[in-house]
Amino acid sequence: MIERILKSENIPYKLIDEDKGLKIVKVNGKLHILYLYGKGNKFLMERDFFDYLDSNAIPYSVLCNDTISGKMYYIKLNKNVNWIKSCFETCDKDAIYLGKQVLNVEISEETLRKELKRELR
């Protein structure tokens, strides 16, 4: 889904990694997007993927897609301080669920398109 949106908007991107239920996409050399998708609204972020995103110099965001309802959730994360970083720093878990913080930022496809174009100017 994220690749379809980027292609339709003529935004250059590179698929960095892909696994069951997720993709990491480097967009226009300016932003990493962790795209999590699955049936339902329970999204799991693995420490390895977070460490990869956080260790890079460019900003990152998370796009979650509930493939059953079609709902999407988009959150931009501050590189220096953010709640996901705090979660991983204070626990030894290999993965965390992205709960209320993500589910409170529902976004439409149209708004996501506008947001990406604005961010990537």
Side-chain angles (χ1 to χ4, degrees):
M1 195 276 307
I2 185 64
E3 293 172 282
R4 178 182 54 79
I5 291 172
L6 295 171
K7 281 180 187 176
S8 70
E9 296 297 330
N10 295 316
I11 299 172
Y13 71 93
K14 179 180 178 183
L15 183 62
I16 301 295
D17 201 353
E18 185 173 14
D19 203 351
K20 183 181 178 188
L22 70 87
K23 294 180 181 187
I24 297 177
V25 181
K26 186 175 186 178
V27 184
N28 204 17
K30 297 180 179 179
L31 174 71
H32 277 115
I33 298 176
L34 175 61
Y35 173 57
L36 301 171
Y37 58 95
K39 297 176 182 178
N41 63 2
K42 292 184 181 175
F43 303 103
L44 189 67
M45 179 181 277
E46 294 181 24
R47 184 182 292 269
D48 293 346
F49 294 113
F50 173 77
D51 288 343
Y52 171 80
L53 294 170
D54 198 52
S55 67
N56 278 277
I58 62 175
Y60 53 91
S61 60
V62 178
L63 174 64
C64 300
N65 184 12
D66 176 349
T67 58
I68 292 176
S69 70
K71 291 183 180 181
M72 293 187 299
Y73 311 91
Y74 183 67
I75 189 163
K76 294 180 279 186
L77 297 166
N78 182 314
K79 200 91 174 109
N80 298 323
V81 178
N82 65 61
W83 59 272
I84 296 174
K85 184 183 283 195
S86 296
C87 287
F88 279 122
E89 286 176 351
T90 59
C91 75
D92 61 353
K93 294 180 180 179
D94 290 329
I96 58 169
Y97 281 98
L98 306 179
K100 286 184 206 176
Q101 293 91 338
V102 170
L103 299 178
N104 285 333
V105 288
E106 188 174 341
I107 192 167
S108 70
E109 185 172 325
E110 180 181 332
T111 304
L112 176 63
R113 288 173 185 272
K114 290 176 184 175
E115 182 74 19
L116 290 174
K117 282 195 261 185
R118 187 183 60 75
E119 282 183 55
L120 299 168
R121 279 189 206 144

